[in-house]
Amino acid sequence: MTSPASDLSPMLDLAIRAARAAAAVIRRAAASPDALDVRAKRPNDFVTQVDLASERIIVDTLLAACPQHAVRSEESGEPHGAPGADHEWIVDPIDGTNNFIHGYPNYAVSIALAVRGRVEVGVVMDVTRDELFSAERGQGAWLGAQRLAVSRRATLAEAMVANTVPVRPGLPFERHMAMIATVIGQVSALRRSGSAAIDLAWVAAGRCDAMFDRGLNAWDVAAGALLIQEAGGLVSTFTGGADFVEARECLAANPALHAALARTLQPFAALPAQGAAPSSSCH
């Protein structure tokens, strides 16, 4: 069984090609960890020359094929391509850089394409496992040729939930730990991966039942959120709002668990509830 074709298939093929090229760069560098040049962007947030090389090959691959598009990427801090274009690629060249630096085998390349603000294509490449997760809007989510579906677990008591537990400025430690403690008291297990992109991909694949995080950026969640939506799940802010990218908080779960986990997380939301329905698109 293979992913069905659509009008956006060439863009999905392009995203996959860019992700695979970046993964090859990252794997070569991982073979020589002592050669890494690491610098801190801010406390507990690092970048290496490999992040920059991965970003460069992704941007070059995307813009060589589509020079009229824009690219927003984490590391360079500068826009690429055509600013203000209707088509914008949202790129994290290594999601899980801290893991990569330490040789902890959990990091990914994340590439999404937004068309007029709505994500239409998403790819998450799990580098160390060589697993390629992909989605096109309306065409399902896939792990290679296997179609994905979120889990069917219906209670928090049996749910395995993922969180990256970021420790960065702007995320008050005591409040964050209170949130973690509250969730741990209600679920079967909490797993910390260090990569939000992989967490989202694994929820789409049914390996985890839900994920939640604060302090995330668009490049952390754009591709993975589409995977979950196309696998039958829901993505929102902690209060159920559709603006989870702008709010910098993300809750993703199968439909049976989403409302219950949202109730648990609502006291820790960055913004008050707006009465919005769970998002069916990533903005």
Side-chain angles (χ1 to χ4, degrees), residues 111-209:
I111 301 175
L113 174 63
V115 181
R116 292 181 291 277
R118 188 171 84 156
V119 173
E120 300 287 350
V121 168
V123 169
V124 173
M125 180 76 203
D126 185 332
V127 177
T128 61
R129 297 173 186 84
D130 196 26
E131 289 189 326
L132 179 74
F133 299 85
S134 65
E136 291 181 273
R137 185 164 299 281
Q139 300 297 324
W142 302 80
L143 172 51
Q146 174 189 353
R147 188 154 191 167
L148 300 180
V150 294
S151 75
R152 297 182 179 180
R153 291 181 183 87
T155 66
L156 290 180
E158 60 182 340
M160 179 179 287
V161 179
N163 178 270
T164 66
V165 196
V167 181
R168 293 178 184 170
L171 296 174
F173 181 77
E174 293 81 5
R175 189 163 185 258
H176 191 83
M177 293 311 295
M179 177 178 66
I180 297 296
T182 299
V183 173
I184 287 176
Q186 298 187 34
V187 303
S188 170
L190 187 72
R191 293 289 182 263
R192 185 194 188 280
S193 73
S195 168
I198 290 178
D199 287 347
L200 289 160
W202 282 22
V203 172
R207 297 175 181 174
C208 287
D209 304 299

Side-chain angles (χ1 to χ4, degrees), residues 6-23:
S6 76
D7 291 341
L8 280 173
S9 286
M11 295 298 97
L12 178 60
D13 292 342
L14 177 59
I16 290 171
R17 195 152 35 92
R20 289 198 183 280

Side-chain angles (χ1 to χ4, degrees), residues 79-90:
H80 304 274
D86 284 346
H87 291 67
E88 182 185 45
W89 295 93
I90 304 171

Side-chain angles (χ1 to χ4, degrees), residues 198-252:
I198 290 178
D199 287 347
L200 289 160
W202 282 22
V203 172
R207 297 175 181 174
C208 287
D209 304 299
M211 70 83 69
F212 68 100
D213 247 323
R214 292 198 59 199
L216 301 178
N217 293 292
W219 45 75
D220 298 310
V221 302
L226 183 63
L227 290 173
I228 289 176
Q229 291 155 359
E230 287 297 310
L234 299 174
V235 188
S236 72
T237 66
F238 290 177
T239 58
D243 59 337
F244 60 90
V245 173
E246 296 303 324
R248 300 196 67 199
E249 64 183 31
C250 181
L251 161 61

